[in-house]
Amino acid sequence: MANDVWVYIEHKDGAIAPMSFELLGIGKQLADAFGSSVCAFVVGDKVDDLAKEAGAYGAAKVYAVEGDVFKGFRGEAYAKAAAFLLDKYKPEIALFRATIMGTDVAAGAAAQLGFGLCTDTIGLAVDGGKVKMTRAAFGGNYSVSVVNEKAAPQIATVRPKAFAMGEKDVSKSAEVIKESFALADADLSTKVVEFIQSATSVNLVEADIIVSGGRGLGNEQGFTVLQQLADLLGGAVGASRAAVDSEWIPYEHQVGQTGKTVKPKIYIACGISGAIQHLAGMRTSDCIVAINKDPDAPIFKAATFGIVGDYKEVVPKMIEKFKSKLGK
Amino acid sequence: MKIAVCLKQVPDTEAEIKWDIPKGTLSRDGMDSITNPFDEFALEEALLTKENYDGEIVAISMGPEGAKDVLRNALALTVDQVALCTDDAFAGSDTYSTASVLAAAIKKVGDVDVVFAGKQSTDGNTGVVGAELAAILGFSPLTQVAKVRSIDAAGKKIVVERAVEGGTEVVEAKLPAVVSVIKGINEPRLPNLMGIRKASKIDIPQWSAGDLGVDAGKVGAAGASTKVVEIAVPPPRGAGEILKGEIEEIANTITDKLIDLKVIK
């Protein structure tokens, strides 16, 4: 029988966010195909609440390493503990979210175990007794599927929102297995001395709706109206490289090959021509709305809905309609 | 202080990449190559570190012979030494093999205090080589670095700011460290003509698997644990619908369609 499928539970200071359990859905599907179980694994200073929640999201077992040294998030320490668990239990595959935190832990753990990993995975399927991992390559113009034959376990980081969340069922609970893994402060070479909360707290990767602007906005004031639309819809503001390079908006908003890769449910591109480098970061969005004055802009080829027009007229009109239809 | 910087040659980000699917290789004909944009920030950070703290810079690249161009550009910007890790055995390396080769090169350089790298390449896009390199070398892993606050080579200490989810983390770490930097950490400078002319005359040392003491069977396609089993062209997005009419009508239609998706709360 195949080994279990493991899902890493990402968290900051033990805070429970639904997205932490996102991968238990696809993990369950893979485990079903193998005839094994989906299990969670978690590292932290207090893990009981996270373990309980992981059970409700479908984990059969939760493997945990707990200790004061794991207070806050320390990629280095978390990677060591994760590598220890993966080496001890050798699941079939371990899935991490392709976030900054998840990638730090996955890459560190894989290197300690001595093999490669598949990053930013958008497809997972059991094929020939192994999990085949698919990722986008070269701006999404190609997809490449890989199998890590020598690795035990295989490790993948998975693009947030690439798979549907599993259902939560509070009647379900998981068996919790706590492993002792001794790690002292002296064993670590990094220490977080301060955390400065971002004033804008842009979290493009988690956003369901993104309103994005490019060179066609003409100036930085263009982002004011985009922000209004984003606020109204509960979304975030994104930008193309051209807009960031023009210093109209900070880099943390950039979507594309040299920015963030996003997969929101709705992506509204305003004044963005749709260069390859931008499309690479957003072409897997569920619904793309393109607003551009140039009817020949390549963005229209990727768009679900295209509007040939000036964002300065279209966006305020959309805001007006949304306000009346949504009663806001 | 001894500073190393890892540079990768990548296809121009404006170029459309063509893959020869049956062969599983890139069609490089007529394709322009550039220094990975993120690595330009790493190189600039190395230059700034040298200026601020004194020291020497060794720029390392791994790739085919053509990757010399990337090192020549670094020489034009006055790095002190360069080395190209090149060997047929390196072709087809996965992230771990790549990190292993770079780690061997950094060990060969010796006594390196800080390694700068870009946070990811724009072709492979994995964004994990920096973290793997740190793990293999046993150096402090510092990823997503938006600012280097201070480096104290004598005290073996570095303080950086990392751009993470929801804010900025100030991290103090022991040296040696691998620092992978994000866009915007600095403004990369351009080489001047004199620098370019000087660089064009310098011979670029090449390090093979043997020179690096790397087991050829453990790197490249032979050593990669990740095997490509399929390359495909994803189905194109369905032809989009262009909304036509007066702006009032268009705005009415698009807002209806978006509300129907039941995503907006």
Side-chain angles (χ1 to χ4, degrees), chain A residues 229-273:
Chain A
L229 179 58
D231 289 346
L232 181 66
L233 302 178
V237 172
S240 73
R241 181 171 74 183
V244 171
D245 287 351
S246 303
E247 298 186 359
W248 296 342
I249 190 161
Y251 171 59
E252 55 185 335
H253 294 267
Q254 188 179 321
V255 172
Q257 218 165 17
T258 50
K260 296 205 166 62
T261 302
V262 297
K263 193 186 180 298
K265 297 199 169 83
I266 300 173
Y267 189 92
I268 304 175
C270 308
I272 291 176
S273 64

Short mmCIF file of all heavy atoms in Angstrom, two decimals, chain A residues 229-273:
data_model
loop_
_atom_site.label_atom_id
_atom_site.label_comp_id
_atom_site.label_asym_id
_atom_site.label_seq_id
_atom_site.Cartn_x
_atom_site.Cartn_y
_atom_site.Cartn_z
N LEU A 229 -12.36 50.78 -6.54
CA LEU A 229 -13.06 49.59 -7.03
C LEU A 229 -12.67 48.36 -6.21
O LEU A 229 -13.51 47.56 -5.80
CB LEU A 229 -12.75 49.36 -8.53
CG LEU A 229 -13.40 48.14 -9.17
CD1 LEU A 229 -14.91 48.16 -9.05
CD2 LEU A 229 -13.00 48.02 -10.66
N ALA A 230 -11.37 48.23 -5.94
CA ALA A 230 -10.88 47.09 -5.15
C ALA A 230 -11.50 47.10 -3.76
O ALA A 230 -11.97 46.06 -3.27
CB ALA A 230 -9.36 47.12 -5.07
N ASP A 231 -11.54 48.28 -3.13
CA ASP A 231 -12.12 48.37 -1.78
C ASP A 231 -13.59 47.97 -1.79
O ASP A 231 -14.07 47.25 -0.92
CB ASP A 231 -11.98 49.81 -1.24
CG ASP A 231 -10.53 50.14 -0.89
OD1 ASP A 231 -9.72 49.21 -0.82
OD2 ASP A 231 -10.23 51.34 -0.70
N LEU A 232 -14.30 48.45 -2.81
CA LEU A 232 -15.73 48.16 -2.92
C LEU A 232 -15.97 46.66 -3.05
O LEU A 232 -16.93 46.12 -2.49
CB LEU A 232 -16.26 48.90 -4.15
CG LEU A 232 -17.74 48.79 -4.48
CD1 LEU A 232 -18.56 49.46 -3.39
CD2 LEU A 232 -18.03 49.45 -5.82
N LEU A 233 -15.08 45.97 -3.76
CA LEU A 233 -15.27 44.54 -4.01
C LEU A 233 -14.54 43.67 -2.99
O LEU A 233 -14.59 42.44 -3.07
CB LEU A 233 -14.76 44.19 -5.42
CG LEU A 233 -15.39 44.95 -6.59
CD1 LEU A 233 -14.76 44.53 -7.90
CD2 LEU A 233 -16.90 44.73 -6.63
N GLY A 234 -13.88 44.30 -2.04
CA GLY A 234 -13.11 43.53 -1.05
C GLY A 234 -11.88 42.89 -1.67
O GLY A 234 -11.46 41.80 -1.28
N GLY A 235 -11.30 43.55 -2.66
CA GLY A 235 -10.14 42.99 -3.35
C GLY A 235 -8.86 43.75 -3.07
O GLY A 235 -8.81 44.61 -2.19
N ALA A 236 -7.82 43.40 -3.81
CA ALA A 236 -6.51 44.03 -3.65
C ALA A 236 -6.11 44.69 -4.96
O ALA A 236 -6.66 44.36 -6.02
CB ALA A 236 -5.47 42.99 -3.26
N VAL A 237 -5.17 45.61 -4.88
CA VAL A 237 -4.70 46.32 -6.08
C VAL A 237 -3.38 45.72 -6.55
O VAL A 237 -2.45 45.55 -5.77
CB VAL A 237 -4.53 47.82 -5.81
CG1 VAL A 237 -3.87 48.52 -6.98
CG2 VAL A 237 -5.89 48.45 -5.54
N GLY A 238 -3.34 45.37 -7.84
CA GLY A 238 -2.12 44.85 -8.44
C GLY A 238 -1.59 45.84 -9.47
O GLY A 238 -2.20 46.88 -9.73
N ALA A 239 -0.45 45.52 -10.05
CA ALA A 239 0.15 46.42 -11.03
C ALA A 239 1.06 45.65 -11.98
O ALA A 239 1.53 44.57 -11.65
CB ALA A 239 0.97 47.49 -10.32
N SER A 240 1.29 46.23 -13.13
CA SER A 240 2.23 45.63 -14.07
C SER A 240 3.63 46.16 -13.77
O SER A 240 3.78 47.13 -13.02
CB SER A 240 1.85 45.99 -15.51
OG SER A 240 2.16 47.35 -15.74
N ARG A 241 4.63 45.55 -14.39
CA ARG A 241 6.00 46.00 -14.16
C ARG A 241 6.16 47.46 -14.61
O ARG A 241 6.83 48.24 -13.94
CB ARG A 241 6.98 45.11 -14.94
CG ARG A 241 8.42 45.51 -14.73
CD ARG A 241 9.38 44.50 -15.31
NE ARG A 241 9.43 44.57 -16.76
CZ ARG A 241 10.16 43.76 -17.53
NH1 ARG A 241 10.86 42.79 -16.99
NH2 ARG A 241 10.16 43.89 -18.83
N ALA A 242 5.51 47.81 -15.72
CA ALA A 242 5.65 49.17 -16.24
C ALA A 242 5.20 50.20 -15.19
O ALA A 242 5.85 51.22 -14.99
CB ALA A 242 4.84 49.32 -17.53
N ALA A 243 4.08 49.90 -14.52
CA ALA A 243 3.56 50.85 -13.52
C ALA A 243 4.49 50.92 -12.31
O ALA A 243 4.68 52.00 -11.73
CB ALA A 243 2.16 50.42 -13.09
N VAL A 244 5.06 49.78 -11.92
CA VAL A 244 5.98 49.77 -10.76
C VAL A 244 7.28 50.47 -11.13
O VAL A 244 7.79 51.29 -10.36
CB VAL A 244 6.24 48.31 -10.30
CG1 VAL A 244 7.35 48.27 -9.25
CG2 VAL A 244 4.96 47.70 -9.75
N ASP A 245 7.78 50.19 -12.34
CA ASP A 245 9.02 50.83 -12.76
C ASP A 245 8.87 52.34 -12.92
O ASP A 245 9.82 53.09 -12.81
CB ASP A 245 9.55 50.20 -14.06
CG ASP A 245 10.13 48.81 -13.82
OD1 ASP A 245 10.27 48.42 -12.63
OD2 ASP A 245 10.45 48.11 -14.79
N SER A 246 7.64 52.79 -13.20
CA SER A 246 7.38 54.23 -13.28
C SER A 246 7.21 54.85 -11.89
O SER A 246 6.95 56.05 -11.77
CB SER A 246 6.11 54.51 -14.10
OG SER A 246 6.20 53.94 -15.37
N GLU A 247 7.32 53.99 -10.86
CA GLU A 247 7.19 54.41 -9.46
C GLU A 247 5.82 54.99 -9.13
O GLU A 247 5.68 55.88 -8.31
CB GLU A 247 8.32 55.38 -9.07
CG GLU A 247 9.66 54.69 -9.20
CD GLU A 247 10.84 55.52 -8.71
OE1 GLU A 247 10.63 56.67 -8.28
OE2 GLU A 247 11.96 54.99 -8.76
N TRP A 248 4.79 54.46 -9.80
CA TRP A 248 3.43 54.88 -9.47
C TRP A 248 2.90 54.11 -8.27
O TRP A 248 1.95 54.52 -7.62
CB TRP A 248 2.49 54.64 -10.67
CG TRP A 248 2.84 55.46 -11.87
CD1 TRP A 248 3.62 56.57 -11.90
CD2 TRP A 248 2.42 55.23 -13.22
NE1 TRP A 248 3.73 57.05 -13.19
CE2 TRP A 248 2.98 56.25 -14.02
CE3 TRP A 248 1.60 54.27 -13.83
CZ2 TRP A 248 2.77 56.33 -15.39
CZ3 TRP A 248 1.38 54.34 -15.19
CH2 TRP A 248 1.96 55.37 -15.98
N ILE A 249 3.50 52.96 -8.00
CA ILE A 249 3.00 52.08 -6.94
C ILE A 249 4.16 51.17 -6.50
O ILE A 249 5.02 50.86 -7.32
CB ILE A 249 1.77 51.28 -7.47
CG1 ILE A 249 1.05 50.52 -6.36
CG2 ILE A 249 2.17 50.33 -8.62
CD1 ILE A 249 -0.37 50.11 -6.72
N PRO A 250 4.22 50.80 -5.19
CA PRO A 250 5.36 49.99 -4.73
C PRO A 250 5.42 48.59 -5.34
O PRO A 250 4.40 48.04 -5.78
CB PRO A 250 5.15 49.90 -3.21
CG PRO A 250 4.19 50.96 -2.86
CD PRO A 250 3.35 51.20 -4.07
N TYR A 251 6.61 48.02 -5.30
CA TYR A 251 6.89 46.71 -5.90
C TYR A 251 6.00 45.60 -5.35
O TYR A 251 5.67 44.66 -6.07
CB TYR A 251 8.37 46.37 -5.69
CG TYR A 251 8.74 44.96 -6.06
CD1 TYR A 251 8.54 44.48 -7.36
CD2 TYR A 251 9.28 44.09 -5.12
CE1 TYR A 251 8.87 43.18 -7.70
CE2 TYR A 251 9.62 42.79 -5.46
CZ TYR A 251 9.41 42.34 -6.75
OH TYR A 251 9.73 41.05 -7.08
N GLU A 252 5.62 45.70 -4.07
CA GLU A 252 4.83 44.60 -3.48
C GLU A 252 3.51 44.38 -4.23
O GLU A 252 2.85 43.36 -4.06
CB GLU A 252 4.60 44.83 -1.99
CG GLU A 252 3.95 46.15 -1.67
CD GLU A 252 3.83 46.44 -0.17
OE1 GLU A 252 3.80 45.49 0.61
OE2 GLU A 252 3.78 47.61 0.20
N HIS A 253 3.12 45.34 -5.07
CA HIS A 253 1.88 45.19 -5.85
C HIS A 253 2.11 44.51 -7.21
O HIS A 253 1.16 44.24 -7.93
CB HIS A 253 1.25 46.57 -6.11
CG HIS A 253 0.76 47.25 -4.87
ND1 HIS A 253 -0.53 47.13 -4.42
CD2 HIS A 253 1.40 48.03 -3.97
CE1 HIS A 253 -0.68 47.83 -3.31
NE2 HIS A 253 0.49 48.39 -3.01
N GLN A 254 3.36 44.31 -7.57
CA GLN A 254 3.64 43.85 -8.94
C GLN A 254 3.25 42.40 -9.20
O GLN A 254 3.60 41.50 -8.46
CB GLN A 254 5.13 44.04 -9.27
CG GLN A 254 5.42 43.76 -10.75
CD GLN A 254 6.87 43.97 -11.10
OE1 GLN A 254 7.50 44.89 -10.63
NE2 GLN A 254 7.40 43.09 -11.95
N VAL A 255 2.53 42.21 -10.31
CA VAL A 255 2.13 40.87 -10.77
C VAL A 255 2.91 40.57 -12.04
O VAL A 255 3.02 41.43 -12.92
CB VAL A 255 0.61 40.85 -11.07
CG1 VAL A 255 0.21 39.53 -11.73
CG2 VAL A 255 -0.19 41.07 -9.80
N GLY A 256 3.47 39.37 -12.15
CA GLY A 256 4.18 38.99 -13.38
C GLY A 256 5.44 38.23 -13.08
O GLY A 256 5.70 37.85 -11.94
N GLN A 257 6.20 38.03 -14.15
CA GLN A 257 7.39 37.21 -14.05
C GLN A 257 8.38 37.71 -13.00
O GLN A 257 9.00 36.93 -12.31
CB GLN A 257 8.08 37.20 -15.41
CG GLN A 257 8.69 35.90 -15.78
CD GLN A 257 9.02 35.86 -17.26
OE1 GLN A 257 9.09 36.88 -17.94
NE2 GLN A 257 9.22 34.66 -17.77
N THR A 258 8.52 39.03 -12.88
CA THR A 258 9.42 39.56 -11.86
C THR A 258 8.64 40.08 -10.65
O THR A 258 9.16 40.82 -9.83
CB THR A 258 10.33 40.67 -12.42
OG1 THR A 258 9.51 41.63 -13.10
CG2 THR A 258 11.35 40.11 -13.38
N GLY A 259 7.38 39.69 -10.57
CA GLY A 259 6.57 40.06 -9.40
C GLY A 259 5.91 38.81 -8.85
O GLY A 259 6.51 37.75 -8.81
N LYS A 260 4.64 38.95 -8.44
CA LYS A 260 3.96 37.79 -7.86
C LYS A 260 3.15 37.04 -8.91
O LYS A 260 2.69 37.61 -9.89
CB LYS A 260 3.02 38.28 -6.76
CG LYS A 260 3.77 38.92 -5.61
CD LYS A 260 2.99 38.84 -4.32
CE LYS A 260 3.87 39.16 -3.12
NZ LYS A 260 4.41 40.54 -3.16
N THR A 261 2.99 35.73 -8.66
CA THR A 261 2.10 34.92 -9.48
C THR A 261 0.80 34.79 -8.72
O THR A 261 0.81 34.38 -7.57
CB THR A 261 2.72 33.54 -9.72
OG1 THR A 261 3.99 33.73 -10.33
CG2 THR A 261 1.85 32.70 -10.62
N VAL A 262 -0.30 35.15 -9.36
CA VAL A 262 -1.58 35.14 -8.65
C VAL A 262 -2.62 34.33 -9.41
O VAL A 262 -2.51 34.16 -10.63
CB VAL A 262 -2.10 36.59 -8.44
CG1 VAL A 262 -1.15 37.38 -7.56
CG2 VAL A 262 -2.32 37.31 -9.77
N LYS A 263 -3.60 33.84 -8.68
CA LYS A 263 -4.69 33.09 -9.30
C LYS A 263 -6.00 33.47 -8.62
O LYS A 263 -6.64 32.63 -7.99
CB LYS A 263 -4.42 31.58 -9.16
CG LYS A 263 -5.33 30.73 -10.03
CD LYS A 263 -5.14 29.25 -9.75
CE LYS A 263 -6.04 28.39 -10.61
NZ LYS A 263 -7.48 28.63 -10.36
N PRO A 264 -6.40 34.73 -8.74
CA PRO A 264 -7.64 35.14 -8.10
C PRO A 264 -8.86 34.62 -8.87
O PRO A 264 -8.71 34.13 -9.99
CB PRO A 264 -7.58 36.67 -8.17
CG PRO A 264 -6.80 36.93 -9.41
CD PRO A 264 -5.78 35.82 -9.49
N LYS A 265 -10.03 34.77 -8.29
CA LYS A 265 -11.25 34.37 -9.01
C LYS A 265 -11.60 35.43 -10.07
O LYS A 265 -12.14 35.10 -11.10
CB LYS A 265 -12.39 34.17 -8.02
CG LYS A 265 -12.08 33.02 -7.03
CD LYS A 265 -13.34 32.51 -6.38
CE LYS A 265 -13.11 31.22 -5.63
NZ LYS A 265 -12.57 31.41 -4.26
N ILE A 266 -11.32 36.68 -9.74
CA ILE A 266 -11.56 37.76 -10.72
C ILE A 266 -10.31 38.64 -10.80
O ILE A 266 -9.81 39.11 -9.77
CB ILE A 266 -12.78 38.64 -10.32
CG1 ILE A 266 -14.06 37.80 -10.25
CG2 ILE A 266 -12.94 39.81 -11.29
CD1 ILE A 266 -15.26 38.57 -9.71
N TYR A 267 -9.82 38.86 -12.02
CA TYR A 267 -8.67 39.74 -12.24
C TYR A 267 -9.10 40.82 -13.22
O TYR A 267 -9.47 40.51 -14.35
CB TYR A 267 -7.49 38.95 -12.80
CG TYR A 267 -6.18 39.72 -12.86
CD1 TYR A 267 -5.29 39.68 -11.80
CD2 TYR A 267 -5.86 40.50 -13.97
CE1 TYR A 267 -4.09 40.39 -11.83
CE2 TYR A 267 -4.66 41.22 -14.01
CZ TYR A 267 -3.78 41.15 -12.94
OH TYR A 267 -2.60 41.85 -12.97
N ILE A 268 -9.10 42.06 -12.79
CA ILE A 268 -9.52 43.15 -13.67
C ILE A 268 -8.26 43.94 -14.06
O ILE A 268 -7.63 44.57 -13.22
CB ILE A 268 -10.55 44.06 -12.97
CG1 ILE A 268 -11.76 43.22 -12.50
CG2 ILE A 268 -11.00 45.19 -13.91
CD1 ILE A 268 -12.80 43.98 -11.70
N ALA A 269 -7.89 43.84 -15.35
CA ALA A 269 -6.66 44.49 -15.83
C ALA A 269 -7.02 45.80 -16.52
O ALA A 269 -7.72 45.81 -17.52
CB ALA A 269 -5.96 43.56 -16.82
N CYS A 270 -6.53 46.91 -15.97
CA CYS A 270 -6.85 48.23 -16.53
C CYS A 270 -5.60 48.87 -17.13
O CYS A 270 -4.60 49.04 -16.43
CB CYS A 270 -7.39 49.14 -15.44
SG CYS A 270 -8.75 48.45 -14.51
N GLY A 271 -5.67 49.19 -18.39
CA GLY A 271 -4.52 49.85 -19.03
C GLY A 271 -3.28 48.98 -19.03
O GLY A 271 -2.16 49.47 -18.96
N ILE A 272 -3.49 47.67 -19.08
CA ILE A 272 -2.37 46.72 -19.14
C ILE A 272 -2.38 46.10 -20.53
O ILE A 272 -3.39 45.55 -20.96
CB ILE A 272 -2.51 45.63 -18.05
CG1 ILE A 272 -2.32 46.26 -16.66
CG2 ILE A 272 -1.52 44.49 -18.28
CD1 ILE A 272 -2.52 45.31 -15.51
N SER A 273 -1.25 46.20 -21.24
CA SER A 273 -1.24 45.73 -22.62
C SER A 273 -1.25 44.20 -22.70
O SER A 273 -1.79 43.62 -23.62
CB SER A 273 -0.01 46.27 -23.34
OG SER A 273 1.15 45.73 -22.75
#
